[in-house]
Each structure stands twice: as C-alpha cells, then as structure tokens.
Amino acid sequence: MNATLTKETPAPAAPAGTERLPPDAVRTGEPFTVLYGPGVGDVFVDATGEVRTMEHALWHMLRAAGFERIVFSTLHDPVYFRDDASWRRSRRPARRTPGPDGRAGPPGMRHAGLRGPLGGTRLLGGGPAPGPERPAAQDTGAARASGIADPFGVMTLHAYLRGTGHRTAVVFPHADEFLLHNQASRQLAQTLAAWASDGVEGNQWVLVFNRTSLHEVAAFLTGLGRCPGLETFVTERRDEPARGGTHRIDLPGERELERLVHAARLRKGLRVAWRDLDRVVRAMAGQPETVRVWRSRLIQLHERGEELDRDTVRPWLGAAAAEERTAWERLAAMPGTEDLVRRFERLRAEVATEDALRARGRPSRGEPPSRHLVFLGNPGTGKTTVARLVGEIYRDLGLLARGHCVEVEAGDLVAGYIGQTAQRTAAVIDRALDGVLFIDEAYGLSDQQGGFGAEAIQTLLKRMEDDRGRLVVVVAGYPGKMEQFLDANPGLRSRFPGPNAVPFPDHDPGILHTILMNRLAERGMTAGAEVAGELRQIVENLHRTRDATFGNVREMRTLADAIRSRWSVRVGPEVDEPVRSEDVPESYRGHLSRPAPEPAELLADLDAYVGLAPARRALTALAGRLRMRQERGAGAFDPPHLLFAGPPGTGKTTVARLLGRMFRSLGLLREGHVVEVTRVDLVGEYLGQTAPKVRDACERAMDGVLFVDEAYSLVGDAGGSRSGYGQEAVDTLIREMENRRGRLVVVLAGYPDDLERLLDANAGFRSRVTVKVPFPAFSPEDLGEILRRTATAHGYVLAPGTEERACRLLEATRRARPAAFGNARDVRRLVDAMEENKGARWADGHKGPELLPEDVPEALETGSAGGVAG
C-alpha cells in the first residue's frame, strides 16, 4: 500500500461492543476484513445490555478500532451512513449556488475525487447541522442514504477509501448478495483487485458473508468467478489462517447470554430464579443457538408468566440444565473412571501452575501440550459420555470457551466427490470450535479403500493445528483398530501422543450388575434377592462370553428394558409387584446355571463307538471333576485344553465333537461347536499370512473347540525339521489360547511321541494343555467289530469266512506299515474295495447282499497318516 492516512484528533470512543466482535478483529495492514461464522445475522447484546443488530454492532466495533468514517453499502442502498460524523466527513466544501431567494445553497456532497456527468449534483441526502458525533438512534435503517446507481456507488466507495484525511471503513453487511447481484460487477471486481495490491494503509473494505466457515466463503467466491483479487485473499487465509484479515463471528457465550437474561429481566420483567442462573446460563452457552433464538424463548417464558429456572428451560436444554452435579462430580460417579478422574486432576494442577507462572510474569514458552484425546474401548464403556464431560471440564479450566460437544462418525465427514470432503469436514469442525469434536469409530476414515477418508484426515490435522486453543478432538473406537488408524498418517501420532490415549476397559460383572439393578429401579421396578442372584449369573455369563461388539452399559439397559416389557404385561396396573424370574426373557435365561448332568449321561454317545474305552475313562474322570467343582460352588472356571494322543482313525475327531457338546452341557462353553484344522489351514506361504490365519481359525472356534490334527506338523515333521512360519503359528495360537481363555478349547491331536516333542519344544503348550486323552490303536477284535458295523451300514452281510480273511489282511497291512495304518479309516477303505469286487460279480447275476471271502482283495493300499481322524 502506497498512500497513508494523515493524522487527526481521534474520535470519541464508541460504547463497548461484544465479545464476538472485538476491535482487534480488524487487523491493521490488511486490505480487507472478511467476517463469517454462525453468528452472522444474529443480534448482539453489548456491554450496556442493549440488543444491537449486526450493522450497529459492526459500527461500534469499527469505531472502537479507530475508524473515523464508516460507510455501508447494500444492493438497496449503495452508499449510506449510520452516524452523523461519517456523513459530515464524506461531504466536501463546494461552491455555493444562489437559490431562488438569492442566497447561497448548501455545500455539494460529491467527493472531490469523483468525475462524471452529474457534476456537482448532491448524491447524498443533507442532514442536520454539524453536532456531537453519534450513531443512528435506532437500528431501523440508514441514517444517511443515497439513491445512486451501482456503478457510481462503486466509484464513490472507492473514492472514500482512497482519501487520506479520515481513516475509513467501507462495510458490505450482506457481501454474498452484493457480490452476486451488483450491476457493476466488473467495475467492482477491478476496484477490489486494485485495492488488494495498492490501497491506502489503515483503510479497509469489511465484507460480511453469511457463511459458517472460511471454506464456504472461498467456495462461494470460486463459484462466483467475478472477484479474483478477493478470492485469492480469502483462499490464502483459508490455507494460512494466521495471516489475518478474517474473523469468525461465533454464537454467544456465557457473558453475553447473561447480559441478555438481565436485559429481559430489567426491560421485560422476566422473573429469574437466582439459584439456578449460573447453571442455566452455562447450559445455554453450550447449545448451538443464536441470541435471536434465546431472546425469543425468554420472551415466551415471560408471556407465559413462568420463571427462568432449570425446570422451565428443560425443553430447550434437556438434562443439562437440571443437573445438580458438576462435570467433575458426574465423572467421578461413573463406574470405573478412577484413572480418568486422576488424569483430569493432574490437568487441573497443570493449568493452575501455568496461571501462577503467568501471574508472576514467567509464562511457559514454546508450544503448549496437545489436549486432543484417544478413547480406546468397546461399545458401552462410557466414551461418548466422557467426551461430553471433557468439554465441560476443559471449559471450567479455561481451555475452551464453550465446551459443547459435536458428535460425528466417519460418514459425517466424508463426501462422494473430490473437494467436497474437505468442505464437509471443515463445516463440522466449525460447529465444534471452542468445544469438543468427538469422532466415534474414527478408523472408518482410514479403512476406506479408494475413498476420501485421507482427505478428511488431512483437513482435520490442519485445523487441529490452525485452531489450536479453540478445538479439542477426541477420536474413539476399538483399541486394535484405533492403533491402525493412528498409523494411517504420521501427523496423527503427533496430534494424539501416547500419554493422551485413554483406555476404556469393559466393565467387570459387578459393575454391570449394579448398573442393571439401578436401571430397573429407575424404570420403577423392584427385584428380590433370588431374582437379583439370577441376574448376577446372567451378567457374569454375558461378560464371560462377550466379544468385541459387547455393549457393556448398553447391554444392561437393553436387558432391563426387556425385563420391564414382560413385567408390564404380567402385572398391568399392579406396579407394586416385584420382578420375577419369568420376567427375564428366554434368550437371557440360557445364561443361568443348569443342573450338571451325570458323567454317564454326558458321555452316553460314546457307547455307540468301538474301541474308545480308554478315551471314555479319561473323559469320565474329567467330567466328574468338573461336575464336583460346580456342585461345591467353586464359581466360574475355564474348561481345559486337551491332548488327543493316538494314531489316525482312532476316533479323535469324533470325540472332539462330543467334547464340545459335553462342555456346553456343563455350561463351560456357550456353543460347543468344533472347528477342525490342520497345518495347511494355519500356516501361510508368505510372511505376514500365518498370524491372521491362526486368529481367524480361533475366532471361528470361539465358544467352542478348535481341533488341530497332526499338531506337531506346525513346527516340524517326525524327523524334527523346523519351519519359521509354523513357529509363528504356534506362538500366535498360544497367545490366542491365553487371550480367549474360558471361551476357546484347543485340542491338539496326533501321535503320542510327536505330541510330547511338541510340548517339549514349546513350554507355552505344556503349561496350558493340562488333560491328556489316550486313543490307542484298535485291537483285531475292535477292527472286526468296526468291519461288521460298516458293512451293515452299507446294507451288506458278511458271509462265513469273510471277516476272518478281512482281519488277516488288516493285520498284515498294519505289520507292513505301522505308521501309516489308518485303523477305522482303513477298515472303511477295505469295505469300499470289497464293494468294488462285489460289483464285478453283480453283472454275472450274484445279486445277494453277501460280501464273500473272495471279495476281500489280496492287498490294501494304505493311505497317508495325514488327514482328519474319523
């Protein structure tokens, strides 16, 4: 800027304005001041308690900032003034023209710098004789208005700004409308561009946009395409807010709203409950509402003859106004928040220390610590509730001005087209300024494949830096996924440092049971000791069998509401009736303890199988021990992991399936299903594949049995060779056995000697697998019985001599290759071979059901020892 203003005696100070339009919003040295925000179009309550319109409040702000001449311009009135002094300073002495009576007329109003066809014609209305400087008495219109056309209006405004005699501000109170519909758009664009590069220092254009964010202002100007100089100015400030030249007009804070209440009390006669005033005003300031809205509501209260207290404002503020306790007290009352309370107490001490240092002239230097937080936990652990309290606590500590909480998910930030995501994210952040932005399941931003989540993250990171001190971001979600989210962009780790991660563990059964009983009481129900005990069992089993989607507090509310629904149907108007067992839905009653069956009943299915007597004895002893613990009231305990030691075909898989059902009958497993895997299902071919495969298998087997056949092959064959990926599978499996204790039973199956080597090689297995079930090779008698049963199942009978010949073949096969002998599996293979030979005789007319000795082959090809045992 080349020209400068000449000095003049400062104008008298204007009355104090409002916090939302401070004088320093207009920064000296900038060609423009761009105003925007959710408070644009609102009214303002100044320090005197007067309710002012935007234009009036702007006049006070500019006068307090030192402007001596303030000119306004709208489509309706291209040039007008709101005070006599500005109007007088816009007149120029002119040659007086004699009037009809021969006396000189009034001085001309045309600016000395203007040239045009109107010559010395008065463009602006006359006024009273010069007197004390004052704004317009009422906000009902311009004090001095013109009727000139747009092109000449632009020339007039530019001429005023070029003058150096008085510090001048030209105000567009409705800049969007003015720039869009002004008939001199080309001339205006040229004037703004010239002013941006070569204006008079100290003079300014002040443009008020009805947009909530600077991003929206920039988008409007880009779409308009008529004002490149102004567009460049706004775009640069959008990208570098610290450069100045823009100011966000926010929604009212506590002090302004308190002045509004007192104005309504003194001028309208509104009755106020003084005991509630502070709490009500604080809650009002936490709502995203304008002064206009609150003024209307206060008038409604007065017209209804009601008093302003925490009960009458409840429809507008919800429970916030009625809450007796402070945010600190509410946090301390939440279950399991002891660590959080200590964390915020430390923060309060830090703030107090910083205030004391500042009072002694020794404020801390450098960048303040990050206040952004990461909440790690499953659903229903209180993350959202605490995020709301964080806003109030930070406000109480002076770290945030309003402390409201804007709650969003990833989908609220991401749009479907390039460029839209940044605007949408910026708009959400603008709503959260001076408060907390809570992003639940934030990893949705980084999980997107080919989406615009990364754009949202970049916008978020930039605003966290640009709006430091006005914004606290809290991201929340499942712990594992949140770690992945923080790794998605290097900037996230620096904005959310490790100490700012807050764990929200699942509530323990005792806390959940207390929450459930409190919820029942809140819903008007009572429960006796017997029902309370049953509900405790249900809660314990819900907790023990929970997965990552377990709702914690939410689950307790769902259960309480389900009980109330059934209770209401049963008792009708007899509401003094207590809750009974029958009021608990059947879907939850499945979690109650059942009388443990007798071991013989549990293992009755084994009676149908041949050769499993050793396994049956081991499992009978195990079932008896577990049943005894239940009857002695030992409380909940975890089902054991087992070794099934024996060659292939000895019934290990069959018994594993029965084992799952047995543990389910004992109440130790929720489902009792069996997932059968071998090495190929667990060990990947490439680095990074193995651990996910093991975790997936364990997840599929949750609340049931994971049966690992030929378990030794995970780390080596019978000769002892090693495999790195197999070792990774073992390490991952041991971790999963520990992490899923009580909800996963692992059965390791294979040859006895190989399993012993596996246990020796991995101490983690030996300490966790505590029960060994033997599956010895079948005796010749067992093989004969299996042969008869298999033939019968196929609809055949064994002719005399057939069984003896078949058994001799099976024994010869076992002696020839003992390690490869498949026991029951080879019996089934033999029956298939005999059926094939019978088929050759079938065409010759031998159509009876008998299997003859000649149907027994001379030799039986043995299968591999691998596979899943039958």
Side-chain angles (χ1 to χ4, degrees):
M1 296 186 180
N2 297 326
T4 57
L5 293 170
T6 58
K7 297 294 183 182
E8 183 182 272
T9 302
T18 71
E19 298 83 0
R20 292 189 284 164
L21 282 172
D24 60 6
V26 184
R27 184 172 297 183
T28 302
E30 297 289 349
F32 305 107
T33 292
V34 173
L35 304 177
Y36 65 96
V40 170
D42 196 10
V43 293
F44 301 80
V45 187
D46 68 17
T48 68
E50 291 291 336
V51 178
R52 307 294 188 185
T53 64
M54 168 67 79
E55 287 190 21
H56 202 167
L58 281 172
W59 185 91
H60 280 295
M61 177 192 77
L62 293 169
R63 191 58 101 209
F67 288 93
E68 300 154 330
R69 176 169 55 184
I70 304 169
V71 189
F72 291 84
S73 180
T74 65
L75 285 176
H76 177 68
D77 291 312
V79 181
Y80 65 95
F81 306 90
R82 298 199 63 87
D83 65 284
D84 292 338
S86 294
W87 173 72
R88 290 196 308 272
R89 289 165 181 157
S90 300
R91 298 158 57 97
R92 75 172 179 87
R95 181 169 45 85
R96 291 178 177 250
T97 305
D101 58 358
R103 290 183 298 176
M109 293 302 300
R110 187 169 178 272
H111 194 282
L114 298 179
R115 297 290 182 268
L118 297 181
T121 303
R122 293 174 60 192
L123 300 178
L124 306 178
E133 180 175 21
R134 63 186 183 274
Q138 302 294 331
D139 289 329
T140 56
R144 300 285 177 260
S146 69
I148 62 177
D150 287 351
F152 203 74
V154 172
M155 293 173 59
T156 302
L157 297 173
H158 192 211
Y160 288 155
L161 285 170
R162 285 290 178 188
T164 58
H166 309 287
R167 189 178 179 203
T168 300
V170 171
V171 183
F172 292 164
H174 310 288
D176 316 61
E177 180 184 75
F178 192 93
L179 296 176
L180 188 61
H181 299 294
N182 187 276
Q183 297 300 309
S185 58
R186 182 175 180 180
Q187 181 181 356
L188 178 61
Q190 292 173 341
T191 300
L192 292 173
W195 179 257
S197 61
D198 185 23
V200 175
E201 185 175 355
N203 291 349
Q204 280 201 345
W205 297 83
V206 179
L207 302 100
V208 183
F209 288 89
N210 189 20
R211 310 281 164 165
T212 58
S213 72
L214 202 57
H215 282 73
E216 293 182 15
V217 176
F220 166 75
L221 293 173
T222 300
L224 186 66
R226 297 179 186 172
C227 303
L230 181 60
E231 178 186 340
T232 299
F233 177 88
V234 171
T235 301
E236 290 176 350
R237 270 68 185 172
R238 178 199 65 189
D239 297 335
E240 299 180 57
R243 293 184 61 173
T246 64
H247 176 73
R248 172 186 164 95
I249 303 176
D250 286 303
L251 295 171
E254 285 187 46
R255 286 189 290 176
E256 187 174 357
L257 290 174
E258 185 173 3
R259 294 196 298 268
L260 176 67
V261 170
H262 288 304
R265 179 177 63 84
L266 296 172
R267 293 180 173 85
K268 301 292 184 182
L270 175 69
R271 292 185 296 114
V272 175
W274 293 100
R275 67 185 183 279
D276 294 341
L277 182 59
D278 289 346
R279 183 185 305 114
V280 168
V281 170
R282 187 178 301 111
M284 289 168 61
Q287 301 294 312
E289 300 290 1
T290 62
V291 168
R292 288 185 186 276
V293 170
W294 289 119
R295 184 172 62 167
S296 174
R297 289 172 173 175
L298 294 178
I299 292 173
Q300 290 177 34
L301 280 183
H302 171 66
E303 291 175 346
R304 294 199 301 261
E306 295 179 322
E307 184 180 51
L308 177 68
D309 60 26
R310 63 188 184 188
D311 293 322
T312 56
V313 298
R314 188 189 294 269
W316 306 319
L317 301 176
E323 182 59 65
E324 293 274 2
R325 301 168 299 172
T326 67
W328 300 85
E329 292 168 339
R330 279 175 277 157
L331 178 65
M334 290 180 62
T337 58
E338 294 80 6
D339 289 342
L340 271 171
V341 172
R342 286 192 289 270
R343 173 188 292 268
F344 288 124
E345 289 292 351
R346 289 194 298 270
L347 177 60
R348 177 152 57 183
E350 291 175 15
V351 172
T353 300
E354 183 61 32
D355 290 344
L357 288 171
R358 191 178 296 110
R360 288 164 174 76
R362 294 185 293 153
S364 298
R365 303 183 184 278
E367 191 175 282
S370 172
R371 304 299 185 194
H372 308 294
L373 301 169
V374 182
F375 286 180
L376 307 172
N378 291 331
T381 49
K383 300 187 296 295
T384 304
T385 301
V386 173
R388 296 167 185 163
L389 294 176
V390 165
E392 295 185 51
I393 289 172
Y394 277 23
R395 181 188 62 197
D396 292 346
L397 294 175
L399 300 175
L400 290 174
R402 291 180 60 201
H404 63 297
C405 183
V406 175
E407 302 165 23
V408 298
E409 294 182 351
D412 300 311
L413 305 178
V414 178
Y417 303 96
I418 294 176
Q420 284 188 327
T421 291
Q423 294 181 33
R424 180 178 291 186
T425 302
V428 169
I429 294 171
D430 285 328
R431 285 166 44 209
L433 282 178
D434 299 318
V436 171
L437 175 60
F438 178 71
I439 308 176
D440 199 12
E441 299 183 359
Y443 39 77
L445 297 174
S446 57
D447 284 349
Q448 296 185 23
Q449 298 295 325
F452 299 103
E455 183 181 357
I457 292 175
Q458 284 297 125
T459 305
L460 181 65
L461 290 173
K462 187 174 188 305
R463 292 295 298 275
M464 290 168 72
E465 186 65 28
D466 294 343
D467 295 303
R468 180 189 300 272
R470 297 196 62 191
L471 176 68
V472 168
V473 178
V474 179
V475 292
Y478 296 114
K481 289 190 173 183
M482 288 305 298
E483 289 297 322
Q484 297 172 15
F485 166 71
L486 295 176
D487 289 335
N489 186 301
L492 290 171
R493 287 287 182 188
S494 62
R495 303 307 194 284
F496 299 100
N500 288 27
V502 182
F504 283 74
D506 287 341
H507 295 308
D508 63 49
I511 290 176
L512 291 174
H513 182 250
T514 300
I515 293 170
L516 173 61
M517 300 308 293
N518 288 342
R519 177 70 172 180
L520 291 175
E522 290 169 1
R523 301 296 312 273
M525 294 174 281
T526 59
E530 182 178 350
V531 173
E534 290 185 347
L535 293 176
R536 178 62 185 251
Q537 286 186 36
I538 290 172
V539 170
E540 287 177 348
N541 274 300
L542 284 171
H543 182 270
R544 185 173 62 83
T545 59
R546 71 192 187 282
D547 57 19
T549 63
F550 180 65
N552 287 277
V553 174
R554 196 178 308 160
E555 187 73 40
M556 296 303 100
R557 291 175 181 163
T558 300
L559 173 54
D561 294 345
I563 291 173
R564 192 181 194 279
S565 177
R566 292 168 64 98
W567 173 78
S568 299
V569 171
R570 179 176 63 82
V571 305
E574 303 297 326
V575 293
D576 291 333
E577 277 284 317
V579 174
R580 296 179 183 171
S581 296
E582 61 198 86
D583 298 325
V584 179
E586 291 300 323
S587 58
Y588 288 97
R589 295 191 64 80
H591 289 278
L592 291 172
S593 299
R594 299 183 297 274
E598 292 289 340
E601 179 184 345
L602 288 171
L603 300 170
D605 289 343
L606 284 179
D607 295 338
Y609 295 93
V610 177
L612 295 180
R616 194 184 198 288
R617 286 193 294 271
L619 293 178
T620 299
L622 173 62
R625 180 161 59 92
L626 297 178
R627 187 171 182 273
M628 177 185 68
R629 293 185 65 182
Q630 289 179 323
E631 291 180 353
R632 294 183 62 208
F637 53 89
D638 301 329
H641 304 294
L642 302 95
L643 285 178
F644 279 9
T650 50
K652 296 187 294 296
T653 304
T654 299
V655 174
R657 295 168 184 161
L658 294 175
L659 180 73
R661 294 199 291 271
M662 183 182 87
F663 282 162
R664 183 183 61 192
S665 298
L666 289 168
L668 300 178
L669 286 177
R670 180 80 176 141
E671 302 294 337
H673 62 295
V674 177
V675 174
E676 304 166 19
V677 295
T678 61
R679 175 190 169 92
V680 70
D681 301 304
L682 302 179
V683 179
E685 297 180 7
Y686 306 102
L687 183 65
Q689 286 185 327
T690 296
K693 293 182 75 170
V694 175
R695 286 193 293 266
D696 176 69
C698 292
E699 182 64 33
R700 288 185 286 119
M702 275 286 282
D703 299 314
V705 175
L706 179 66
F707 180 79
V708 186
D709 200 13
E710 299 180 0
Y712 182 77
S713 64
L714 292 177
V715 293
D717 56 25
S721 63
R722 308 286 293 176
S723 167
Y725 295 156
Q727 186 61 46
E728 181 185 359
V730 169
D731 294 340
T732 305
L733 180 57
I734 290 173
R735 283 196 301 271
E736 293 298 305
M737 292 166 68
E738 183 65 27
N739 294 338
R740 301 173 189 265
R741 185 189 307 171
R743 300 195 59 194
L744 174 69
V745 169
V746 173
V747 175
L748 304 176
Y751 288 103
D753 293 343
D754 290 342
L755 290 178
E756 286 300 319
R757 286 195 292 271
L758 174 65
L759 298 182
D760 289 340
N762 298 272
F765 274 146
R766 190 173 290 281
S767 64
R768 289 170 176 81
V769 183
T770 56
V771 176
K772 181 177 181 180
V773 180
F775 288 81
F778 290 145
S779 67
E781 292 75 21
D782 291 335
L783 294 175
E785 180 62 26
I786 295 171
L787 176 67
R788 290 192 296 273
R789 293 188 183 189
T790 305
T792 301
H794 284 70
Y796 301 116
V797 296
L798 299 178
T802 303
E803 180 179 342
E804 292 77 3
R805 180 180 174 89
C807 287
R808 287 196 298 271
L809 175 60
L810 291 170
E811 280 302 306
T813 303
R814 175 155 40 197
R815 288 193 301 272
R817 298 183 61 187
F821 185 65
N823 289 281
R825 187 180 307 159
D826 277 356
V827 173
R828 291 193 294 271
R829 286 159 45 79
L830 175 57
V831 172
D832 290 342
M834 293 166 66
E835 187 179 42
E836 182 177 349
N837 290 337
K838 179 177 176 59
R841 296 188 294 104
W842 188 269
D844 296 334
H846 299 282
K847 300 185 182 294
E850 298 85 8
L851 290 174
L852 304 178
E854 63 243 42
D855 293 329
V856 179
E858 293 296 327
L860 181 65
E861 286 292 332
T862 57
S864 168
V868 178

